[in-house]
Amino acid sequence: MGGATSLPQVSLTTDHVVLITGGNTGIGYETAKWIAMMGARVIIACRSEERAKKAIEKMQEEFEGEKSKSTPGVCSRETLAVEFMKLDLTSLKSVESFVESFKAKESKLHILLCNAGIAMHEQEYTEDGFEIMFQVNYLGHFLLVTKLLPIMLDSGEDCRVILVSSGAHQAASFDLGKAQGKHHTKESFKRLLYYGNSKLYQIMQMYSLNRRLNTTNVTVNSLHPGIVETEITRSFTDLMLWKVFLGASKLLQVTKTPFEGAKTSINAAVNPEFKDTRDAYYMDMRVKQANRLARDQEKQEALWQYSIDCLKEFLKPEDLNFLNKG
C-alpha cells in the first residue's frame, strides 16, 4: 500500500497488547490494522459487534494483500491478532463494565489509543447527564484511562497512552461553569466550540496525567490527525458551512485519507524514537506545541478536579488516592 514505507519499521509480537477505542472505522480502523500487521495483538473497543467483526474480516483480507506484495514491516503471521470488545462511551456504566471485562481477561496493556470521537454534534445529553461530545471525546476516556492505568503501570517499560485530539482545540474556550452547555438552547448551542472544548480537555488531561506519571513507565501524548475524510462527519452533515469547508479542503487537497490520518497515531504509538517522550502534541508525525490555553497548568488542575467530581460515582477511593498524587 502506498505510503507504508513512511511508517516506523517496528516488529511487535502478540505479547504486545494494544487497545484502540473506535477501532472499527476511519482513523481507528487503519491504526488498528497497521499495528496488528506489525505483529501486535490489538483489541478494538466499539459499540457494534457486527460492525467490528466486518472490520476485522476486512483487515484480514487487506493483510493478505499486503503480504502478497511483501510490504515492508508487515509480519508473516497467518492471521492478524485482532479482537473486539464492547464499549459505548455514551454510557459510563458501559465504560465500567468494559474495564471489568478487560481486567478479567488481560494482565497487560502496553498501548492505549483513545481514538473514538464525535464531531460537532448537535446539543444532546447522555444517560449520565453530560453533553455528548464532552463525554464521548473526553470524560469517558478519562474514566477508561484512569481505570486501566494500574495494569499499564505493571506492564513493563515503554507503555503509552495516546489521546487523539484535534486542531479544533485552537477554537476552544475554558469556562467549566458552562462546560455542559445547558445554558444554551438547541438553536444557540455552538457545536464547533463544544467540540473544540472536548479536544482541548484531552490535551489538558495529557499534561495533568504526566505530572502524576513522570517517574513511571507510562507516557501520555496527544495529536491532531489532520482534516480526514471519515464517518465522523456524519454528525454535522446538516451544517452547510462545514459541508462547504470540507468540499474546499478536498479541492485544495488538504484533506487526508483515513490511512494518512492514522500515520500520526501509529507513529506516536509504536515509534521507538518516542520512548520516554511526554507532553508531545503530534501533527503530521512530528512534535508540535498545543496552544497556550491547553498549557495553562492552573486550568489543567481545575479541569482535573472537575472531571473527578463528574466521575465520583465511578471512582473508588484507591483510584482517587492514585489520581491525587502530586
Side-chain angles (χ1 to χ4, degrees):
M1 182 171 182
T5 52
S6 62
L7 293 175
Q9 301 299 297
V10 182
S11 181
L12 303 173
T13 71
T14 51
D15 291 334
H16 210 87
V17 183
V18 181
L19 172 60
I20 304 176
T21 66
N24 64 317
T25 187
I27 295 168
Y29 171 87
E30 293 292 340
T31 305
K33 180 183 73 177
W34 282 96
I35 292 178
M37 288 200 297
M38 292 172 184
R41 186 157 66 87
V42 178
I43 297 163
I44 56 176
C46 54
R47 289 182 296 177
S48 169
E49 182 172 4
E50 182 184 356
R51 293 189 71 192
K53 284 184 173 176
K54 285 181 181 176
I56 293 169
E57 286 173 12
K58 187 181 174 189
M59 286 181 196
Q60 299 289 5
E61 290 171 8
E62 293 176 352
F63 174 49
E64 291 302 323
E66 298 300 335
K67 280 198 296 183
S68 69
K69 292 184 289 186
S70 300
T71 300
V74 172
C75 70
S76 59
R77 185 176 298 120
E78 197 167 312
T79 59
L80 293 179
V82 185
E83 57 195 271
F84 158 79
M85 287 186 70
K86 185 176 180 60
L87 172 66
D88 182 355
L89 289 161
T90 66
S91 165
L92 295 176
K93 285 181 181 175
S94 174
V95 177
E96 191 172 54
S97 175
F98 173 88
V99 169
E100 288 171 3
S101 298
F102 187 91
K103 287 181 174 179
K105 67 188 282 293
E106 303 291 343
S107 60
K108 302 289 182 184
L109 177 60
H110 302 94
I111 299 169
L112 172 53
L113 259 151
C114 297
N115 165 83
I118 52 175
M120 287 173 281
H121 202 286
E122 65 182 355
Q123 188 182 36
E124 186 180 328
Y125 294 89
T126 67
E127 64 182 38
D128 301 291
F130 300 110
E131 190 275 316
I132 193 166
M133 289 184 284
F134 173 84
Q135 181 164 326
V136 171
N137 297 349
Y138 170 68
L139 191 67
H141 280 125
F142 186 105
L143 181 59
L144 183 69
V145 172
T146 302
K147 292 286 190 177
L148 293 179
L149 269 174
I151 293 179
M152 298 188 79
L153 288 164
D154 198 32
S155 293
E157 64 176 354
D158 195 15
C159 292
R160 307 183 190 187
V161 177
I162 310 295
L163 306 170
V164 180
S165 183
S166 168
H169 84 277
Q170 304 280 0
S173 66
F174 189 85
D175 183 347
L176 294 178
K178 297 178 179 178
Q180 303 309 318
K182 292 185 177 179
H183 60 293
H184 286 291
T185 62
K186 276 210 169 191
E187 292 69 32
S188 69
F189 182 77
K190 297 174 181 176
R191 289 154 73 169
L192 174 59
L193 175 67
Y194 280 85
Y195 172 61
N197 288 355
S198 70
K199 294 299 181 178
L200 171 74
Y201 300 153
Q202 286 184 296
I203 300 170
M204 297 175 98
Q205 179 195 6
M206 169 185 76
Y207 292 115
S208 297
L209 275 170
N210 279 321
R211 275 195 293 279
R212 291 158 173 83
L213 296 167
N214 68 343
T215 59
T216 74
N217 61 316
V218 180
T219 58
V220 188
N221 294 292
S222 61
L223 64 92
H224 169 48
I227 303 168
V228 185
E229 282 195 271
T230 69
E231 287 188 9
I232 200 169
T233 59
R234 65 190 168 199
S235 61
F236 57 92
T237 52
D238 59 316
L239 295 178
M240 184 54 67
L241 180 64
W242 283 99
K243 286 171 82 172
V244 170
F245 170 75
L246 288 172
S249 297
K250 278 184 79 171
L251 283 173
L252 295 169
Q253 298 184 319
V254 176
T255 54
K256 297 180 178 181
T257 64
F259 169 67
E260 290 166 339
K263 283 161 71 173
T264 298
S265 292
I266 298 163
N267 199 44
V270 303
N271 194 327
E273 289 180 23
F274 296 131
K275 182 185 178 183
D276 300 323
T277 298
R278 297 179 184 274
D279 291 339
Y281 173 71
Y282 297 105
M283 217 173 116
D284 294 324
M285 299 178 76
R286 295 182 182 87
V287 177
K288 303 286 186 179
Q289 192 171 60
N291 72 3
R292 186 177 298 175
L293 183 56
R295 303 194 312 271
D296 186 314
Q297 186 170 332
E298 188 176 334
K299 287 182 170 62
Q300 291 161 10
E301 290 301 315
L303 174 66
W304 185 268
Q305 190 56 54
Y306 178 80
S307 304
I308 289 172
D309 291 343
C310 288
L311 295 168
K312 57 181 181 249
E313 291 178 32
F314 298 90
L315 294 175
K316 296 175 181 175
E318 56 264 35
D319 298 321
L320 294 173
N321 288 340
F322 167 74
L323 290 175
N324 288 326
K325 284 180 184 176

